[in-house]
Amino acid sequence: MEREVGRGGASPLVLDLAARCPHLEREALNSGPAATLVDVAGVEAWAVSDPAVLGPLLTDSRVSKDPNRGWPAFRRGEIVGTWALEPWVGVHNMLCRDGADHRRLRSVMSSAFTPRRIAALVPRVEAIAAELLDAMAQLPVDRPVDLREHYAYPLPMRVIGELLGLPEQAARPEFRAIVDGVFASHLTPEESHANLRAFRETLDGMLDRKRAEPGDDLTSMLVAAHDNGVEGRSLDDRELTDTFSIVFGAGYETTVNLLDTAVTGLLDHPGQLARVRSGEVAWSEVAEEALRFEAPIPYLPLRYALEDIELADGTVIPAGGPILAAFGAAGRHPGAHGPTADAFDIARPDKRHFSFGHGAHFCLGAPLARAEAAAALPALFERFPRLALAVPAEELEPVGSIVSNGHRALPVWLAGPPR
């Protein structure tokens, strides 16, 4: 694969695909120019973390999400099948489309995420949270419990499974392993594409079963848009599978990491936990600070400059240059959040973040993720008031991906540390 070379011969910052030291990358990006040339598994891109620069770029008509439109190396066939993160940029869904095409693909799903539908889901979210907490209450209290495995993961997975009308299939361990592989940025190109093929084959099977037994759910809605779509709201074969995939992937991964980060932050800052328990600070503020402090998706590949774009400090992103939105670093940028940007503070007045994107590509599922956090967090701490981390927060092992930000496990004591 031919490397994408930055203009001017600048040496790129090589991003660690296993995300072992994300704080060092954040510091490098936030102390650098408006756009920093980075190496992402052999592809050079311009990473942008300053909210004052990133926000306008995400709504700039000179920037495209479509690699066929904006990335010459992709059009030449140099990326397909040879880059580990190609599945993030080569999909045929709204994630990688602009303008009318993006609006068409987004409109097919938008009716499933209206405020009315989200409000109607809340009682079910609360019931699922209660079921999971009941199950956790039966576990021994004399050894640590992995909260990510028993609560942060299954809650949003069950919610998205029910929204899609596929609760049993979504809960299968083998399906989880395939979905997790989509977010594993350290895989080789061969491993990544083998996983993507398995993912699409599994999704196609789910779609076929739903076609045979339709219901009042999002999967049936997507199948109908493919089989009986009207002009302006139709999907072709590849768009159906890839749209289905983004609902599954984005529909739970962001919320898993949000719950993980929020719980970790509160348990690591007992004074702040006391403030939210007393009602001094709202639970919604906890969620927003968690989203700012640790963006669930730290980097989102990719966007592309359709022409030379000169930024305020004179940095030029050349035409055809890939742009990497550094959402994780943006949430910690001192230009937006001052000298305390690296501190977890639920009472922080300004919690601006890009964790759900910005502009036309703002995440459709953001209201659902917030609703899940609003139900799950207070229920957890009410059921287990002595909840405590089983290891220091700094010893928690990161999940190890530049496109997913959480912990491999979140061990806690449900009834406080044993005496």
Side-chain angles (χ1 to χ4, degrees):
M1 178 177 63
E2 178 181 330
R3 285 168 61 89
E4 287 292 294
V5 180
R7 191 172 294 177
S11 178
L13 169 69
V14 179
L15 299 185
D16 178 11
L17 299 186
R20 284 162 290 205
C21 297
H23 60 286
L24 295 180
E25 289 182 0
R26 286 195 297 258
E27 291 171 4
L29 295 177
N30 286 343
S31 61
T36 300
L37 190 64
V38 297
D39 181 305
V40 189
V43 165
E44 290 186 0
W46 297 88
V48 180
S49 65
D50 185 346
V53 179
L54 182 58
L57 271 180
L58 297 181
T59 58
D60 195 318
S61 61
R62 299 171 297 172
V63 175
S64 173
K65 282 285 286 178
D66 187 344
N68 290 295
R69 182 181 177 209
W71 196 7
F74 189 91
R75 286 199 302 270
R76 294 193 298 263
E78 298 167 15
I79 303 300
V80 179
T82 64
W83 188 45
L85 294 180
E86 186 262 326
W88 282 82
V89 303
V91 290
H92 292 205
N93 59 33
M94 64 182 182
L95 185 66
C96 298
R97 292 294 181 267
D98 301 319
D101 221 17
H102 171 259
R103 289 190 293 273
R104 172 180 61 83
L105 293 167
R106 187 180 176 96
S107 69
V108 174
M109 295 200 308
S110 60
S111 60
F113 295 95
T114 62
R116 181 179 177 182
R117 278 194 174 242
I118 299 303
L121 277 173
V122 169
R124 186 60 191 141
V125 174
E126 293 172 341
I128 292 171
E131 290 175 23
L132 294 171
L133 293 170
D134 287 344
M136 287 170 56
Q138 302 304 311
L139 299 174
V141 297
D142 60 348
R143 53 180 181 264
V145 171
D146 183 356
L147 196 70
R148 186 175 175 96
E149 183 69 22
H150 287 275
Y151 195 60
Y153 180 88
L155 188 147
M157 180 55 90
R158 285 182 58 180
V159 171
I160 198 65
E162 292 191 9
L163 182 66
L164 288 164
L166 298 162
E168 294 181 2
Q169 293 92 326
R172 291 175 179 170
E174 60 270 24
F175 180 67
R176 173 181 175 177
I178 295 172
V179 177
D180 288 348
V182 175
F183 289 88
S185 58
H186 64 281
L187 299 180
T188 66
E190 294 77 17
E191 291 170 334
S192 176
H193 285 81
N195 186 79
L196 181 63
R197 286 193 297 272
F199 186 40
R200 285 184 172 142
E201 289 171 3
T202 302
L203 295 182
D204 285 340
M206 291 180 173
L207 290 166
D208 288 342
R209 285 191 290 274
K210 184 55 64 173
R211 180 176 283 111
E213 298 179 7
D216 182 19
D217 52 65
L218 182 51
T219 305
S220 298
M221 186 186 307
L222 294 175
V223 169
H226 171 272
D227 295 354
N228 311 304
V230 297
E231 185 176 356
R233 287 178 60 86
S234 60
L235 300 172
D236 63 28
D237 291 350
R238 179 70 179 276
E239 288 172 345
L240 172 61
T241 302
D242 286 2
T243 296
F244 191 38
S245 74
I246 195 176
V247 178
F248 245 129
Y252 84 91
E253 185 74 15
T254 297
T255 309
V256 174
N257 292 331
L258 165 57
L259 296 177
D260 180 337
T261 298
V263 172
T264 302
L266 289 175
L267 294 181
D268 195 38
H269 299 81
Q272 295 191 43
L273 176 56
R275 295 181 71 181
V276 71
R277 276 178 161 161
S278 71
E280 180 183 347
V281 179
W283 284 102
S284 60
E285 297 297 312
V286 176
E288 294 308 308
E289 178 62 356
L291 289 164
R292 181 204 70 84
F293 186 67
E294 293 287 2
I297 296 179
Y299 297 98
L300 186 60
L302 284 169
R303 287 171 166 80
Y304 318 93
L306 297 177
E307 60 185 71
D308 286 3
I309 300 175
E310 183 173 359
L311 305 179
D313 69 349
T315 301
V316 175
I317 300 176
I323 299 170
L324 183 63
F327 293 153
R332 303 281 195 99
H333 200 284
H337 300 290
T340 64
D342 284 324
F344 182 82
D345 181 5
I346 62 174
R348 181 186 303 276
D350 183 359
K351 300 181 180 68
R352 284 176 295 166
H353 59 78
F354 289 89
S355 289
F356 293 124
H358 181 69
H361 286 270
F362 186 81
C363 179
L364 268 175
L368 177 58
R370 286 178 164 127
E372 289 175 281
L377 291 173
L380 172 67
F381 285 96
E382 181 178 347
R383 179 66 66 90
F384 301 109
R386 297 183 60 208
L387 193 71
L389 290 173
V391 299
E394 59 271 17
E395 295 181 13
L396 294 171
E397 185 180 358
V399 73
S401 169
I402 67 168
V403 290
S404 182
N405 184 21
H407 301 109
R408 292 188 184 278
L410 183 55
V412 297
W413 299 110
L414 295 179
R419 297 180 181 179

